[in-house]
Amino acid sequence: METKIINIDQNNIDSELMAEAGRLIAEGELVAFPTETVYGLGGDALDPKASKKIYSAKGRPSDNPLIVHIADFSDMARVAKTIPEDARKLSDAFWPGPLTMIVQKSDAVPDATTGGMDTVAVRMPNHPIALDLIRRSGCLIAAPSANTSGRPSPTEAAHVAEDLSGKIAMIIDGGPVGIGIESTIIDLTEETPMVLRPGYITPAMLSEVLGREVVIDPGIIAADDTRKPKAPGMKYKHYAPKANMVIVDGTRKRVIEKINELVAEHKDDGKKIAVIATEETKDCYEADVVLSMGSRDDEDSIAHELYRILRECDDLDVDVIFSESFSTPRIGQAIMNRMLKAAGHQVIDTRVTYDKIIFVAQSGTCREQMAKEIMKEFALKVPMDVEARGLVVQFPEPLNQKAEAVLIGNGISTEGIVSEQLEESDITETTMVFTMESSQRDKIIEKFENVDPEQVFVLSQYVGDELEILDPYGGTLQNYGLCYESLRATIKKLVKMLNENHQEQ
Ligand code: TXA
Ligand code: MG
């Protein structure tokens, strides 16, 4: 079959060409089209023959159900047995948009479309070409991602052509997609809504709209692939590049060191190596190919580039891929879910277990000493050495007298406390350094070249406080008392965080 490729400008849709595309769908043929997430491979959702064609064009197992795409909320009544109240709320908030809802299916939806399940996945895409195609065809459109099963999802029409040319009637080229990873899937058929596939719309956003708890399918966040995910498609080794891929996690410095070490090893074996990096780190690697996902601060760019870059690795015929890890704040879970699959869950964790804390301020006689003494009052699950150091200590001095009075007033012994100068040798690879002020952090990083900046933290920032711990020097006893109180509150948070981190490992 010859695949016709048409170019459509989403801001100025050519109705004649779109009418032809719509007709093809209505006649039971397949048309690939852009959505805001990835390109979809569309066919008439209520025609079992069209669904079968989709499975065969993609080489997809037929027990893996398709998403039914609709253009108006009223269409949901055609495919859903009943429409849950939650579906209305989520539709109001997120449709058209990158969210797929699972509901009980109506009799109109053939088993071929749902892989024999009695539920159906429904989504209203936020893309003018996709919506136009659905309306013109007069059909509801079943559409999986328009890639060969097992390859990265297509984010450009050229990716679709690569995989499906000659197998489908038409490809609508509407330019690169916006988001780049597939929609979030939420299952509304259970008592508690459950996210089956993470995406651009996060569990927190869903839970806020629903006003109740939303859980995440444990099968998709497990550290390995031993637990079966609920969405049939999530169990396959998806999104896989041809090369063997390994993710390296940890602080920037350690990740760069480790990846370069691995690159050197594999180069000796004559392998062609790609590194997936960021704008900030792309010049730090010695690999044959270094691909940048964009700035680490720009998670939209990382999501957008991911599949394109995995395909590029295939095109460049690399043997091994080493990738940085991208646990970004908002959609990091969605990004890492895809990356872990692409890597077959091969992760090298370079993070260390810290065994020492040094509190640092200027003189070594006040805030850092109070912090150290307060820290001793709390229980750490894994014991750590706790020290206090000053940035400028000419000779050992005793604890500031007002600080001493406050500590004693709070039942803390101050015996034997003297100031000590911070030396580079104090900071090992397993030491966390906490300064009271950000200028103190800057000084440490500037002065000690061998110290990894990602081991040095401003105490208040680390625990998420806005205000730094102010220097009470020259103030009244009351000022010192307030300083003690704020240090205590901050350190309580610190201990909680350290104990939680430990639990996660
Ligand atoms: O962003 C998207 O959702 C894209 C665009 C084209 O809309 N589509 C997409 O479709 O990613 P696909 O087929 O590649 O992924 C659909 C996923 C599969 O993991 C499938 O198992 C799951 O949705 N799914 C579909 N129906 C389901 C159902 N009734 N119950 C549980 N999971 C279902
Ligand atoms: Mg897919």
Side-chain angles (χ1 to χ4, degrees), residues 296-310:
R296 180 163 284 278
D297 297 333
D298 183 357
E299 41 177 359
D300 287 348
S301 158
I302 293 170
H304 188 259
E305 293 304 294
L306 176 62
Y307 287 140
R308 190 187 63 71
I309 283 180
L310 292 179

Side-chain angles (χ1 to χ4, degrees), residues 58 60 145 147 153 182 197 238:
K58 273 181 70 85
R60 174 171 176 150
S145 48
N147 51 290
S153 293
E182 306 86 343
R197 178 172 74 183
H238 244 122

Side-chain angles (χ1 to χ4, degrees), residues 23-130:
R23 217 163 30 239
L24 284 169
I25 297 272
E27 286 165 2
E29 295 300 330
L30 306 187
V31 176
F33 59 97
T35 79
E36 79 280 34
T37 56
V38 298
Y39 271 75
L41 174 59
D44 180 354
L46 304 187
D47 173 2
K49 288 205 280 303
S51 298
K52 283 185 188 134
K53 277 189 191 168
I54 293 178
Y55 287 110
S56 117
K58 273 181 70 85
R60 174 171 176 150
S62 59
D63 66 343
N64 187 4
L66 307 174
I67 297 175
V68 177
H69 294 67
I70 62 175
D72 297 286
F73 186 72
S74 59
D75 289 337
M76 194 151 181
R78 292 173 61 188
V79 291
K81 197 171 188 179
T82 50
I83 299 178
E85 192 44 39
D86 284 348
R88 280 180 213 284
K89 288 187 191 162
L90 293 175
S91 162
D92 284 344
F94 301 115
W95 275 358
L99 179 69
T100 296
M101 301 183 212
I102 311 277
V103 294
Q104 294 297 337
K105 86 172 187 71
S106 72
D107 293 339
V109 187
D111 281 346
T113 301
T114 63
M117 296 180 85
D118 51 16
T119 54
V120 63
V122 191
R123 167 163 125 81
M124 191 194 298
N126 185 18
H127 195 293
I129 295 175

Side-chain angles (χ1 to χ4, degrees), residues 19-20 27 29 143 181 275 352 394 397 421 462 474:
E20 189 185 340
E27 286 165 2
E29 295 300 330
I181 53 177
V275 170
V352 294
Q394 311 288 12
E397 276 192 81
Q421 170 73 40
Y462 187 86

